[in-house]
Amino acid sequence: DVFAGKLLNVHVDQVRLPDGKTAIREVAEHCPCVAVVALDGGNSVLAVTQYRYVFGRTLLEIPAGKLEPGEEPAAGALRELKEETGAVPDELLPMGKLLPSPGCLGEELYLFLARGLKMEEARPDEDEFLQLERIPFDEMVHRCARGEIEDGKTVAAVLKAKLLLNL
C-alpha cells in the first residue's frame, strides 16, 4: 500500500504475466459508483455543471456519485439523482456497468436511465457546487459525438440511452 485516502487507496503490486515474467502494476482502488441519464417530460436531460479540480475547470456531466457501503446500485442511483437534481423517477432502467479505466483504476460504474420525473428539492453534498441544466436529448447526443462533452461516464451513458431508446 502506497496511499490510503478518503476517495482512493493506491497500491503497487508485483504480478506474474501470462508468459511467466513479472511486472509492476500500480492500482488505484475506488468504491463502486452510479450515473444516471434522467429524461424529463420534454425529453431533455438533467445535467449538472460542476468544477473539477483535477482539470481546473467546470465540466457538464450527468448526475453521479459513489455508492454507500452495501448499497445496491439502483438505490444509489435514485439517491444521487435526488440529491443532485431533486428528481424522483417513475422508471429506472439499468444500462449496464462500465470499467472506466481498467489499466489502473479499480472502479465499477453502474449506468441507469430515469424517466417519468417528479421534481423535488435537491440536496447536494456540502462539498458539491452544482448548476442544474436541462439539455434536449438530441443536443446531448450531438455534443457527445462532437467531443464537446468530455466526461466519459456522460458520453457512454448518453450514447447507450440513445441506442436503448432508438431516438
Side-chain angles (χ1 to χ4, degrees):
D1 291 338
V2 176
F3 175 79
K6 180 180 169 186
L7 184 63
L8 295 172
N9 293 323
V10 179
H11 55 91
V12 179
D13 296 334
Q14 185 172 10
V15 299
R16 184 163 310 284
L17 302 174
D19 65 1
K21 295 180 183 173
T22 60
I24 299 295
R25 295 291 184 262
E26 297 172 348
V27 179
E29 294 294 338
H30 191 282
C31 61
C33 294
V34 293
V36 184
V37 175
L39 292 176
D40 68 12
N43 213 35
S44 287
V45 176
L46 298 187
V48 293
T49 301
Q50 63 180 316
Y51 180 78
R52 292 300 193 176
Y53 173 79
V54 173
F55 294 100
R57 59 189 167 96
T58 59
L59 295 176
L60 183 70
E61 307 174 23
I62 57 174
K66 302 176 298 221
L67 288 175
E68 300 294 335
E71 186 176 36
E72 290 296 319
L78 291 170
R79 178 183 50 75
E80 285 292 338
L81 180 62
K82 184 163 189 318
E83 285 177 5
E84 293 190 3
T85 69
V88 178
D90 287 334
E91 181 180 25
L92 185 69
L93 303 169
M95 295 195 300
K97 178 175 72 172
L98 293 179
L99 305 176
S101 187
C104 65
L105 180 61
E107 177 185 355
E108 297 176 321
L109 177 63
Y110 297 87
L111 303 178
F112 292 88
L113 173 65
R115 296 190 291 191
L117 307 180
K118 181 178 86 175
M119 298 306 293
E120 297 180 1
E121 184 181 348
R123 291 197 171 99
D125 293 337
E126 64 182 32
D127 64 346
E128 289 181 313
F129 301 92
L130 309 172
Q131 182 67 41
L132 178 63
E133 296 187 33
R134 291 176 188 255
I135 300 171
F137 183 70
D138 285 340
E139 182 182 334
M140 281 291 284
V141 170
H142 292 300
R143 290 173 74 178
C144 287
R146 289 191 304 258
E148 294 171 19
I149 296 175
E150 298 173 291
D151 174 56
K153 69 183 173 298
T154 299
V155 172
V158 166
L159 296 180
K160 278 187 160 212
K162 172 73 174 166
L163 291 173
L164 180 69
L165 297 170
N166 197 23
L167 294 175

